């Protein structure tokens, strides 16, 4: 992970992705539903894709 300012939207997004990775599958599903309700379906789909990509990088040792 890159080091940089912690007040940026990019940093917030990376923190959220790392946090979602700590959730159980049912907790993730509930969180994605909340995101879709509050931010819209596209935002939830984007978050799911970003979480999946991060999960894949971690499983291949590329984080």
């Amino acid at each position: 992970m890159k080091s940089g300012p912690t007040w940026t939207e990019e940093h917030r997004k990376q923190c959220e992705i790392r946090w979602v990775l700590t959730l159980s599958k049912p907790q993730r599903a509930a969180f994605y539903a909340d995101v879709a309700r509050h931010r819209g379906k596209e935002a939830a789909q984007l978050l799911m894709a970003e979480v999946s990509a991060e999960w894949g990088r971690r499983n291949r040792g590329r984080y």
Side-chain angles (χ1 to χ4, degrees):
M1 185 172 127
K2 294 185 288 184
S3 180
T6 59
W7 61 85
T8 65
E9 176 61 19
E10 181 63 26
H11 180 77
R12 185 209 61 80
K13 185 168 52 170
Q14 291 301 317
C15 288
E16 182 177 50
I17 291 167
R18 287 191 308 272
W19 176 75
V20 171
L21 286 169
T22 70
L23 301 176
S24 67
K25 190 172 184 176
Q27 289 172 320
R28 279 193 314 273
F31 183 69
Y32 292 144
D34 285 343
V35 170
R37 188 169 39 257
H38 293 284
R39 299 184 214 165
K41 187 176 178 180
E42 286 183 18
Q45 291 173 334
L46 178 60
L47 178 60
M48 285 187 266
E50 291 170 332
V51 168
S52 292
E54 181 66 18
W55 184 84
R57 280 190 293 277
R58 288 175 179 232
N59 281 335
R60 290 187 295 278
R62 295 182 186 153
Y63 62 96

